[in-house]
Short mmCIF file of all heavy atoms in Angstrom, two decimals:
data_model
loop_
_atom_site.label_atom_id
_atom_site.label_comp_id
_atom_site.label_asym_id
_atom_site.label_seq_id
_atom_site.Cartn_x
_atom_site.Cartn_y
_atom_site.Cartn_z
N PRO A 1 57.01 134.38 165.31
CA PRO A 1 55.95 134.11 166.16
C PRO A 1 55.65 132.54 166.44
O PRO A 1 56.37 131.75 165.80
CB PRO A 1 54.65 134.65 165.62
CG PRO A 1 55.12 135.68 164.69
CD PRO A 1 56.44 135.16 164.10
N GLU A 2 54.85 132.12 167.46
CA GLU A 2 54.48 130.81 167.59
C GLU A 2 53.68 130.25 166.23
O GLU A 2 53.01 130.97 165.68
CB GLU A 2 53.48 130.81 168.74
CG GLU A 2 52.93 129.43 169.05
CD GLU A 2 51.96 129.61 170.26
OE1 GLU A 2 51.33 130.60 170.47
OE2 GLU A 2 51.71 128.52 170.99
N MET A 3 54.09 129.08 166.04
CA MET A 3 53.50 128.33 164.74
C MET A 3 53.40 129.33 163.62
O MET A 3 52.46 129.49 162.92
CB MET A 3 52.13 127.91 165.20
CG MET A 3 52.05 126.63 166.09
SD MET A 3 50.44 125.80 166.16
CE MET A 3 50.73 124.76 167.59
N PHE A 4 54.63 129.99 163.27
CA PHE A 4 54.66 130.89 162.33
C PHE A 4 54.30 130.39 160.94
O PHE A 4 54.05 131.26 160.09
CB PHE A 4 56.10 131.56 162.34
CG PHE A 4 57.20 130.72 161.81
CD1 PHE A 4 57.44 130.67 160.51
CD2 PHE A 4 57.94 129.96 162.76
CE1 PHE A 4 58.54 129.80 160.08
CE2 PHE A 4 59.00 129.11 162.29
CZ PHE A 4 59.26 129.03 160.89
N SER A 5 54.43 129.18 160.66
CA SER A 5 54.18 128.57 159.38
C SER A 5 52.75 128.21 159.15
O SER A 5 52.38 128.16 157.82
CB SER A 5 55.14 127.48 159.04
OG SER A 5 54.86 126.48 159.84
N THR A 6 51.96 128.20 160.08
CA THR A 6 50.46 127.63 160.08
C THR A 6 49.48 128.56 160.65
O THR A 6 48.31 128.42 160.43
CB THR A 6 50.39 126.34 160.42
OG1 THR A 6 50.73 126.33 161.87
CG2 THR A 6 51.30 125.34 159.72
N GLY A 7 49.82 129.30 161.70
CA GLY A 7 48.95 129.86 162.69
C GLY A 7 48.70 128.76 163.77
O GLY A 7 49.15 127.71 163.69
N PHE A 8 47.98 129.20 164.84
CA PHE A 8 47.81 128.35 166.04
C PHE A 8 46.76 127.41 165.75
O PHE A 8 45.68 127.66 166.27
CB PHE A 8 47.56 129.31 167.19
CG PHE A 8 47.41 128.52 168.53
CD1 PHE A 8 48.60 127.87 169.07
CD2 PHE A 8 46.32 128.63 169.32
CE1 PHE A 8 48.54 127.17 170.21
CE2 PHE A 8 46.29 127.96 170.56
CZ PHE A 8 47.30 127.25 170.95
N SER A 9 47.00 126.32 165.02
CA SER A 9 46.09 125.37 164.56
C SER A 9 46.03 124.17 165.53
O SER A 9 46.93 123.66 165.90
CB SER A 9 46.40 124.97 163.22
OG SER A 9 45.53 123.83 162.85
N MET A 10 44.67 123.81 165.77
CA MET A 10 44.44 122.60 166.66
C MET A 10 44.13 121.43 165.68
O MET A 10 43.29 120.54 166.07
CB MET A 10 43.29 122.87 167.63
CG MET A 10 43.67 123.94 168.66
SD MET A 10 45.08 123.57 169.64
CE MET A 10 46.35 124.66 168.91
N ASN A 11 44.69 121.49 164.57
CA ASN A 11 44.44 120.51 163.46
C ASN A 11 45.82 119.84 163.13
O ASN A 11 46.21 119.83 161.95
CB ASN A 11 43.79 121.05 162.27
CG ASN A 11 43.37 119.92 161.19
OD1 ASN A 11 43.24 118.85 161.58
ND2 ASN A 11 43.28 120.43 160.06
N PRO A 12 46.60 119.26 164.10
CA PRO A 12 48.00 118.71 163.85
C PRO A 12 47.92 117.69 162.89
O PRO A 12 48.90 117.45 162.28
CB PRO A 12 48.55 118.38 165.11
CG PRO A 12 47.28 118.11 165.90
CD PRO A 12 46.19 119.13 165.46
N MET A 13 46.80 116.96 162.91
CA MET A 13 46.89 115.78 161.87
C MET A 13 47.13 116.12 160.44
O MET A 13 47.58 115.39 159.56
CB MET A 13 45.49 114.99 161.87
CG MET A 13 45.32 114.18 163.22
SD MET A 13 46.48 112.72 163.30
CE MET A 13 45.72 111.73 162.01
N GLU A 14 46.68 117.37 160.22
CA GLU A 14 46.85 117.90 158.85
C GLU A 14 48.06 118.74 158.68
O GLU A 14 48.56 118.81 157.55
CB GLU A 14 45.51 118.72 158.44
CG GLU A 14 44.27 117.88 158.46
CD GLU A 14 44.31 116.90 157.33
OE1 GLU A 14 44.85 117.03 156.27
OE2 GLU A 14 43.70 115.70 157.57
N ILE A 15 48.42 119.51 159.59
CA ILE A 15 49.55 120.57 159.45
C ILE A 15 50.84 120.23 159.96
O ILE A 15 51.72 120.94 159.70
CB ILE A 15 49.02 122.00 159.81
CG1 ILE A 15 48.60 121.94 161.28
CG2 ILE A 15 47.77 122.39 159.08
CD1 ILE A 15 49.61 122.50 162.35
N ALA A 16 50.76 119.28 160.92
CA ALA A 16 52.23 119.03 161.62
C ALA A 16 53.27 118.46 160.63
O ALA A 16 52.87 117.64 159.70
CB ALA A 16 51.98 117.99 162.79
N GLU A 17 54.47 118.79 160.75
CA GLU A 17 55.45 118.45 160.04
C GLU A 17 56.26 117.44 160.80
O GLU A 17 56.54 117.53 162.04
CB GLU A 17 56.48 119.54 159.66
CG GLU A 17 55.76 120.53 158.73
CD GLU A 17 56.73 121.58 158.18
OE1 GLU A 17 58.02 121.35 158.27
OE2 GLU A 17 56.16 122.68 157.70
N ASP A 18 56.97 116.39 160.05
CA ASP A 18 57.76 115.47 160.82
C ASP A 18 59.08 116.15 161.36
O ASP A 18 59.44 117.26 160.63
CB ASP A 18 58.24 114.32 159.90
CG ASP A 18 57.04 113.37 159.57
OD1 ASP A 18 56.10 113.31 160.27
OD2 ASP A 18 57.04 112.82 158.42
N GLU A 19 59.63 115.57 162.38
CA GLU A 19 60.88 116.14 162.69
C GLU A 19 61.89 116.13 161.52
O GLU A 19 62.09 115.19 160.83
CB GLU A 19 61.55 115.24 163.86
CG GLU A 19 62.95 115.69 164.34
CD GLU A 19 62.96 117.02 165.02
OE1 GLU A 19 61.95 117.49 165.54
OE2 GLU A 19 64.15 117.53 165.26
N GLY A 20 62.52 117.36 161.34
CA GLY A 20 63.33 117.44 160.17
C GLY A 20 62.65 117.65 158.86
O GLY A 20 63.17 117.61 157.70
N GLY A 21 61.37 118.26 159.01
CA GLY A 21 60.48 118.50 157.77
C GLY A 21 60.89 119.77 157.06
O GLY A 21 61.95 120.38 157.30
N GLU A 22 60.06 120.22 156.10
CA GLU A 22 60.38 121.33 155.19
C GLU A 22 60.64 122.57 155.93
O GLU A 22 61.64 123.32 155.55
CB GLU A 22 59.25 121.36 154.16
CG GLU A 22 59.18 120.30 153.17
CD GLU A 22 58.15 120.57 152.09
OE1 GLU A 22 57.73 121.88 151.95
OE2 GLU A 22 57.72 119.72 151.51
N THR A 23 59.90 122.97 156.93
CA THR A 23 60.10 124.25 157.48
C THR A 23 61.40 124.32 158.23
O THR A 23 62.07 125.26 158.23
CB THR A 23 58.81 124.60 158.40
OG1 THR A 23 57.65 124.56 157.54
CG2 THR A 23 59.05 126.01 158.99
N LEU A 24 61.71 123.21 158.98
CA LEU A 24 62.97 123.12 159.66
C LEU A 24 64.14 123.22 158.78
O LEU A 24 65.19 123.90 158.95
CB LEU A 24 63.09 121.99 160.58
CG LEU A 24 64.33 121.82 161.42
CD1 LEU A 24 64.64 123.08 162.26
CD2 LEU A 24 64.37 120.56 162.24
N GLN A 25 64.09 122.48 157.67
CA GLN A 25 65.08 122.58 156.58
C GLN A 25 65.21 123.94 156.10
O GLN A 25 66.31 124.42 155.83
CB GLN A 25 64.76 121.67 155.50
CG GLN A 25 64.77 120.18 155.79
CD GLN A 25 64.43 119.30 154.63
OE1 GLN A 25 64.70 119.50 153.46
NE2 GLN A 25 63.72 118.20 154.92
N TRP A 26 64.04 124.60 155.94
CA TRP A 26 64.16 126.08 155.42
C TRP A 26 64.75 126.90 156.43
O TRP A 26 65.63 127.77 156.06
CB TRP A 26 62.69 126.50 155.23
CG TRP A 26 62.47 127.95 154.94
CD1 TRP A 26 62.59 128.64 153.82
CD2 TRP A 26 62.16 129.06 155.88
NE1 TRP A 26 62.31 130.00 153.92
CE2 TRP A 26 62.07 130.12 155.33
CE3 TRP A 26 62.07 128.96 157.30
CZ2 TRP A 26 61.90 131.47 155.88
CZ3 TRP A 26 61.71 130.22 158.03
CH2 TRP A 26 61.67 131.38 157.18
N MET A 27 64.48 126.71 157.76
CA MET A 27 65.17 127.52 158.85
C MET A 27 66.70 127.42 158.75
O MET A 27 67.49 128.27 158.88
CB MET A 27 64.60 127.10 160.21
CG MET A 27 63.16 127.58 160.47
SD MET A 27 62.52 126.93 162.06
CE MET A 27 63.23 128.18 163.11
N CYS A 28 67.16 126.16 158.61
CA CYS A 28 68.51 125.87 158.48
C CYS A 28 69.17 126.47 157.25
O CYS A 28 70.25 127.06 157.42
CB CYS A 28 68.81 124.32 158.43
SG CYS A 28 68.30 123.37 159.95
N ARG A 29 68.54 126.49 156.26
CA ARG A 29 69.04 127.07 154.98
C ARG A 29 69.15 128.64 155.12
O ARG A 29 70.14 129.25 154.84
CB ARG A 29 68.05 126.78 153.75
CG ARG A 29 68.60 127.51 152.41
CD ARG A 29 67.64 127.10 151.36
NE ARG A 29 66.31 127.51 151.52
CZ ARG A 29 65.89 128.74 151.14
NH1 ARG A 29 66.75 129.75 150.79
NH2 ARG A 29 64.62 129.09 151.33
N ILE A 30 68.11 129.27 155.73
CA ILE A 30 68.15 130.72 155.98
C ILE A 30 69.25 130.99 156.96
O ILE A 30 69.96 132.04 156.71
CB ILE A 30 66.83 131.19 156.48
CG1 ILE A 30 65.76 131.19 155.56
CG2 ILE A 30 66.90 132.64 157.03
CD1 ILE A 30 65.85 131.86 154.31
N ALA A 31 69.37 130.36 158.04
CA ALA A 31 70.53 130.50 159.03
C ALA A 31 71.77 130.46 158.41
O ALA A 31 72.73 131.29 158.62
CB ALA A 31 70.32 129.52 160.10
N ALA A 32 72.00 129.46 157.51
CA ALA A 32 73.28 129.35 156.89
C ALA A 32 73.58 130.36 155.90
O ALA A 32 74.78 130.98 155.84
CB ALA A 32 73.43 127.95 156.24
N LEU A 33 72.57 130.79 155.06
CA LEU A 33 72.67 131.71 154.00
C LEU A 33 73.05 133.06 154.70
O LEU A 33 73.82 133.89 154.18
CB LEU A 33 71.46 131.71 153.15
CG LEU A 33 71.44 132.77 152.12
CD1 LEU A 33 72.48 132.48 151.02
CD2 LEU A 33 69.97 132.84 151.54
N ARG A 34 72.28 133.39 155.73
CA ARG A 34 72.37 134.83 156.23
C ARG A 34 73.42 134.91 157.43
O ARG A 34 73.59 135.99 158.00
CB ARG A 34 70.94 135.20 156.81
CG ARG A 34 69.90 135.36 155.85
CD ARG A 34 70.20 136.37 154.80
NE ARG A 34 69.20 136.34 153.67
CZ ARG A 34 69.32 137.08 152.49
NH1 ARG A 34 70.29 137.96 152.50
NH2 ARG A 34 68.38 137.01 151.69
N GLN A 35 73.93 133.74 157.69
CA GLN A 35 74.90 133.67 158.90
C GLN A 35 74.32 134.34 160.15
O GLN A 35 74.90 135.16 160.84
CB GLN A 35 76.20 134.27 158.51
CG GLN A 35 77.09 133.38 157.56
CD GLN A 35 77.35 132.01 158.46
OE1 GLN A 35 78.23 132.01 159.27
NE2 GLN A 35 76.85 131.00 157.87
N CYS A 36 73.22 133.89 160.48
CA CYS A 36 72.56 134.37 161.74
C CYS A 36 71.65 133.21 162.19
O CYS A 36 71.41 132.16 161.54
CB CYS A 36 71.61 135.50 161.40
SG CYS A 36 70.22 135.22 160.30
N ALA A 37 71.22 133.35 163.47
CA ALA A 37 70.30 132.21 164.01
C ALA A 37 68.87 132.68 163.68
O ALA A 37 68.60 133.80 163.45
CB ALA A 37 70.42 132.23 165.53
N ILE A 38 67.95 131.80 163.62
CA ILE A 38 66.52 132.02 163.38
C ILE A 38 65.63 131.13 164.36
O ILE A 38 66.05 129.86 164.56
CB ILE A 38 66.07 131.70 161.96
CG1 ILE A 38 64.76 132.14 161.64
CG2 ILE A 38 66.49 130.24 161.55
CD1 ILE A 38 64.27 132.19 160.24
N ALA A 39 64.65 131.66 164.88
CA ALA A 39 63.93 131.00 165.93
C ALA A 39 62.36 131.19 165.83
O ALA A 39 61.97 132.18 165.38
CB ALA A 39 64.37 131.51 167.28
N GLY A 40 61.68 130.12 166.21
CA GLY A 40 60.30 130.33 166.11
C GLY A 40 59.62 128.90 166.30
O GLY A 40 60.32 127.86 166.16
N SER A 41 58.33 128.75 166.54
CA SER A 41 57.79 127.38 166.73
C SER A 41 56.86 126.89 165.69
O SER A 41 56.42 127.62 164.82
CB SER A 41 56.94 127.34 168.06
OG SER A 41 55.57 127.70 167.91
N LEU A 42 56.81 125.52 165.62
CA LEU A 42 56.12 124.86 164.62
C LEU A 42 55.27 123.70 165.20
O LEU A 42 55.50 123.38 166.29
CB LEU A 42 57.00 124.11 163.62
CG LEU A 42 58.17 124.85 163.01
CD1 LEU A 42 58.94 123.89 162.26
CD2 LEU A 42 57.62 125.99 162.14
N SER A 43 54.20 123.32 164.46
CA SER A 43 53.48 122.02 164.80
C SER A 43 54.30 120.84 164.36
O SER A 43 54.63 120.87 163.10
CB SER A 43 52.08 121.97 164.31
OG SER A 43 51.39 120.81 164.55
N VAL A 44 54.87 119.98 165.25
CA VAL A 44 55.73 118.85 164.85
C VAL A 44 55.13 117.46 165.24
O VAL A 44 54.61 117.54 166.45
CB VAL A 44 57.10 119.11 165.53
CG1 VAL A 44 57.97 117.88 165.23
CG2 VAL A 44 57.67 120.40 164.91
N ARG A 45 55.38 116.46 164.40
CA ARG A 45 54.97 115.14 164.78
C ARG A 45 56.18 114.23 165.06
O ARG A 45 57.14 114.34 164.34
CB ARG A 45 54.26 114.50 163.52
CG ARG A 45 53.85 113.10 163.63
CD ARG A 45 53.33 112.40 162.37
NE ARG A 45 52.15 113.24 161.79
CZ ARG A 45 52.25 114.01 160.70
NH1 ARG A 45 53.46 114.28 160.16
NH2 ARG A 45 51.23 114.69 160.26
N GLU A 46 56.13 113.64 166.19
CA GLU A 46 57.35 112.78 166.47
C GLU A 46 56.74 111.55 167.36
O GLU A 46 56.10 111.66 168.29
CB GLU A 46 58.33 113.55 167.33
CG GLU A 46 59.54 112.61 167.70
CD GLU A 46 60.58 113.39 168.36
OE1 GLU A 46 60.32 114.45 168.94
OE2 GLU A 46 61.75 112.91 168.54
N ALA A 47 57.14 110.39 166.82
CA ALA A 47 56.79 109.06 167.51
C ALA A 47 55.28 108.95 167.80
O ALA A 47 54.99 108.54 168.98
CB ALA A 47 57.58 108.92 168.79
#
């Protein structure tokens, strides 16, 4: 789902991850381990 790691939070100052943060790293690990794609949205901080 949308914002699957936090819920639909309007508090990005507290919950947003930097580009390349823990949840994206986790997605990359799962995709490589399971040899499948994985998709979903996150709150992300950039520039």
